[in-house]
Amino acid sequence: MPDIPTLSRLGVVGCGLMGSGIAEVAALRGIDVTVAESTPELAAAGRARLVASLDRGLRRGKLTEAERDQALARLAFTHDLGDLADRQVAIEAVAENREIKLDLFRQLDKVLADPEAVLATNTSSIPVVDLAVATGRASRVVGLHFFNPVPVQKLVEVIPALTTSADTVARARAFATELLGKEAIQAPDRSGFVVNALLVPYLLAAVRMVEAGAARPEDIDRGMELGCAHPMGPLRLLDLIGLDTAQAVAESMYEEFKEPLYAAPPLLQRMVAAGHLGRKSGRGFYVYDS
């Protein structure tokens, strides 16, 4: 078994919805977390997002004031990747863009001082092996795919590349389950992994129904919520995920498999071009209050 206590210093790169969620869960579970963003302004915004989330937990009775304060004390924020040098686990949670992730992995490979440090990606669709071979520690690179919102969703997909060592897989799984308290499944290193390989065609089919005028978004969503006991309909889920993220995932999967069911529908592409990205922009298939 891996030595669980040794994986107690976490670095998270990116403090958007996913990165902040990962950092919050880790800090609440007693892990020392350093969060890196690309600018001081983004680092400050990330800290504000995390503080607001912890304060919501306090107001709703999910946290005590002491738990909130202890979690904040375990969180540090930086815009200098060099501050992650002592991390034993680093998880990237930046934009779902291959070139951005490749460049980041090359930098992290140089920054992490411990050659045994686990370098993980939270990618939704990019093959892990592509990121692994960009580093000099391919055996230590693994996928850890969390789900939004991270504090609520229990699942983590553990995705070993062909280059990932068995020890890294065991350490990553133990980190996700025993330290973060999540439930892990092992997924193949193919675009979409397990969950998105099933979910994305379903979401895109809902977009095509709207595009064809076959049904209204609210009827599609209520149909799946009431008829199939889904907690959220596909179009509301797309708005939550972010239509730009959904398009990027679909394009990555289509690039690998060339299956028409993975191709982003024209309506989705037009909405992204218009800036109608879902909840984060205030408008997607539905309109949201600021």
Side-chain angles (χ1 to χ4, degrees), residues 131-240:
L131 304 175
V133 298
T135 75
R137 60 178 85 205
S139 68
R140 294 298 176 190
V141 177
V142 66
L144 281 179
H145 181 216
F146 294 79
F147 291 83
N148 185 37
V150 180
V152 176
Q153 302 283 44
K154 293 291 291 181
L155 181 67
V156 175
E157 288 180 309
V158 178
I159 306 115
L162 287 173
T163 53
T164 308
S165 70
D167 175 66
T168 299
V169 175
R171 294 171 76 202
R173 177 181 283 269
F175 178 78
T177 58
E178 300 190 28
L179 283 183
L180 297 187
K182 299 297 186 183
E183 191 163 325
I185 62 171
Q186 188 157 317
D189 186 21
R190 58 199 300 273
S191 189
F193 315 130
V194 169
V195 174
N196 279 333
L198 295 169
L199 178 64
V200 169
Y202 158 69
L203 298 178
L204 299 182
V207 177
R208 293 188 185 101
M209 288 188 77
V210 175
E211 188 172 51
R216 300 179 305 165
E218 54 268 35
D219 291 329
I220 294 169
D221 284 340
R222 291 302 282 165
M224 295 309 295
E225 290 162 6
L226 299 179
C228 295
H230 288 197
M232 183 180 294
L235 300 165
R236 291 193 187 279
L237 180 55
L238 277 167
D239 277 359
L240 177 64

Side-chain angles (χ1 to χ4, degrees), residues 79-94:
H79 63 279
D80 182 357
L81 277 182
D83 290 336
L84 302 185
D86 68 337
R87 302 292 93 178
Q88 295 154 313
V89 186
I91 301 175
E92 71 79 14
V94 299

Side-chain angles (χ1 to χ4, degrees), residues 17 20 24 48-63 68 149 151:
L17 286 175
S20 63
E24 178 180 342
R49 181 179 292 111
L50 265 163
V51 170
S53 180
L54 289 167
D55 285 345
R56 279 195 302 273
L58 178 61
R59 288 195 304 271
R60 294 171 181 173
K62 296 180 179 179
L63 300 175
R68 190 270 314 268

Side-chain angles (χ1 to χ4, degrees), residues 25-157:
V25 168
L28 286 169
R29 298 279 298 188
I31 298 171
D32 174 43
V33 185
T34 298
V35 181
E37 263 290 4
S38 55
T39 68
E41 294 76 17
L42 287 173
R47 187 182 191 283
R49 181 179 292 111
L50 265 163
V51 170
S53 180
L54 289 167
D55 285 345
R56 279 195 302 273
L58 178 61
R59 288 195 304 271
R60 294 171 181 173
K62 296 180 179 179
L63 300 175
T64 66
E65 190 169 346
E67 288 170 333
R68 190 270 314 268
D69 292 345
Q70 288 164 7
L72 284 173
R74 297 184 190 109
L75 287 160
F77 296 83
T78 183
H79 63 279
D80 182 357
L81 277 182
D83 290 336
L84 302 185
D86 68 337
R87 302 292 93 178
Q88 295 154 313
V89 186
I91 301 175
E92 71 79 14
V94 299
E96 190 69 1
N97 178 290
R98 184 184 300 265
E99 294 309 314
I100 291 174
K101 289 183 187 289
L102 284 170
D103 181 60
L104 176 58
F105 267 69
R106 294 185 188 106
Q107 293 182 65
L108 286 172
D109 184 32
K110 297 174 183 176
V111 164
L112 294 174
D114 182 359
E116 301 298 306
V118 173
L119 182 48
T121 174
N122 183 53
T123 182
S124 302
S125 59
I126 297 169
V128 177
V129 71
D130 291 359
L131 304 175
V133 298
T135 75
R137 60 178 85 205
S139 68
R140 294 298 176 190
V141 177
V142 66
L144 281 179
H145 181 216
F146 294 79
F147 291 83
N148 185 37
V150 180
V152 176
Q153 302 283 44
K154 293 291 291 181
L155 181 67
V156 175
E157 288 180 309

